[in-house]
Amino acid sequence: TGFFINKQGQVLTAYHVVSGGRLFNVTTLNGKSYVAKVRAFDAQADVALLDIENRGTTFPYLGIIDSVPKVGTSILAIGNSDGDFLQPRTGTLLALSAAAGRADFPQDTLETNAPLAPGDSGGPILNEQGQAIGVISYIRLDSSGQTRRSYAVPVVQNGILLTTLLTGEKRDVPVVGLFLDVIHSGQTEPEGGVISGIARNSPASQAGLKANVYDENDQLVSLGDIITEVNGQRTRNADEVIAAIRKAKVGDVIVLGFVRDQKPQETEITLVAKSSVPDLQE
């Protein structure tokens, strides 16, 4: 899902929706399709801007709010989940600057109770005046698969995020090049983020970090290195490792503290852009 923000046909969407490619087909409600390409993105914020490759056509578009919305505002979310094309879902804006609950999705988001589902990502959250106040990014489900909370990246007209995207800047997230073990996250002694895999030709592989070892039946033989610190910051689980790394920038040198065979160790690693590590592409 995405939405036009000007008559020239520029489209806002969630970055994770388009991160796997460069050229896309955009289909509008009237059934017309247009080729689009990614013009700019901020992977940390999970927002991307697409340009429609079309001349001479003007597009209907959504205005964007020019100030921070108020908690309690009634909202309308529009998306393509469950096979429904551009269907409305209503709710209430519950909180500003909320934590999404997963470190690999943007924090400081708008929290709503609109009943969204996978497929709605990239769609707009509208206020009562029909202005876009956010881009749908992340949905939290309960154990039965029902939507618990939904989150949107806030956008403000002339705000830093939107202004930067319109200049065409591409901002990737910094990565080490490793995969973290969700099952054992925070369950080790000492607590930390357990490395379950290492991306090929990544800074993590060059640093000699070690991952979980499995036998031919995919049974765990031994745990990988346990990351307990990032730049001196204590990290007790996988989410804290991700959040600490993302405080740095591509090109920064960070110090990872880890435990191997019950012995604490350190290594310096230069962060690279996620797009430069093929194994990390979805």
Side-chain angles (χ1 to χ4, degrees):
T1 310
F3 57 99
F4 294 117
I5 62 168
N6 54 41
K7 66 181 181 181
Q8 290 78 26
Q10 290 188 305
V11 177
L12 269 188
T13 187
Y15 176 64
H16 75 266
V17 171
V18 297
S19 62
R22 294 188 178 183
L23 288 176
F24 300 88
N25 280 321
V26 171
T27 302
T28 56
L29 189 59
N30 60 11
K32 292 185 177 180
S33 292
Y34 305 89
V35 174
K37 62 181 180 180
V38 176
R39 171 180 172 82
F41 63 82
D42 187 325
Q44 193 96 299
D46 193 30
V47 176
L49 181 70
L50 279 64
D51 280 341
I52 294 290
E53 293 188 342
N54 182 71
R55 296 180 180 178
T57 300
T58 58
F59 296 87
Y61 62 93
L62 291 174
I64 296 176
I65 195 171
D66 58 9
S67 60
V68 177
K70 294 182 179 180
V71 172
T73 296
S74 296
I75 59 102
L76 173 69
I78 300 175
N80 296 327
S81 64
D82 300 325
D84 293 327
F85 190 56
L86 299 182
Q87 293 300 305
R89 280 91 178 174
T90 58
T92 302
L93 180 59
L94 300 178
L96 307 174
S97 301
R102 271 180 54 178
D104 54 345
F105 275 81
Q107 307 306 305
D108 297 326
T109 56
L110 306 178
E111 182 178 15
T112 87
N113 58 5
L116 305 181
D120 291 328
S121 292
I125 299 286
L126 309 178
N127 63 9
E128 294 165 323
Q129 288 72 45
Q131 299 168 306
I133 65 173
V135 182
I136 299 167
S137 175
Y138 177 56
I139 299 150
R140 291 177 64 189
L141 306 178
D142 61 23
S143 57
S144 65
Q146 298 299 307
T147 301
R148 182 178 178 184
R149 289 288 186 268
S150 47
Y151 299 86
V153 179
V155 289
V156 177
Q157 190 71 43
N158 299 320
I160 293 175
L161 176 59
L162 189 57
T163 299
T164 302
L165 289 172
L166 289 170
T167 67
E169 184 172 338
K170 296 178 172 67
R171 292 185 177 181
D172 210 337
V173 290
V175 296
V176 174
L178 50 78
F179 302 91
L180 295 173
D181 183 331
V182 177
I183 296 175
H184 296 95
S185 173
Q187 303 299 313
T188 54
E189 181 57 45
E191 294 176 325
V194 179
I195 299 177
S196 62
I198 306 287
R200 293 168 295 174
N201 302 317
S202 67
S205 65
Q206 295 165 8
L209 293 172
K210 293 186 177 181
N212 290 350
V213 176
Y214 300 88
D215 63 19
E216 63 275 9
N217 297 314
D218 289 331
Q219 297 299 309
L220 181 66
V221 175
S222 61
L223 286 178
D225 294 334
I226 304 167
I227 300 177
T228 56
E229 289 186 356
V230 177
N231 278 346
Q233 176 183 336
R234 183 73 174 90
T235 52
R236 296 176 176 81
N237 55 49
D239 272 345
E240 290 187 3
V241 171
I242 295 170
I245 291 173
R246 291 195 173 187
K247 289 181 179 179
K249 302 186 297 294
V250 173
D252 284 353
V253 177
I254 64 170
V255 178
L256 287 186
F258 61 96
V259 173
R260 178 186 298 170
D261 299 328
Q262 300 182 331
K263 297 179 181 178
Q265 301 184 43
E266 286 187 349
T267 185
E268 289 189 349
I269 294 182
T270 300
L271 299 177
V272 298
K274 182 179 179 182
S275 58
S276 70
V277 184
D279 284 357
L280 298 182
Q281 305 313 302
E282 297 178 347

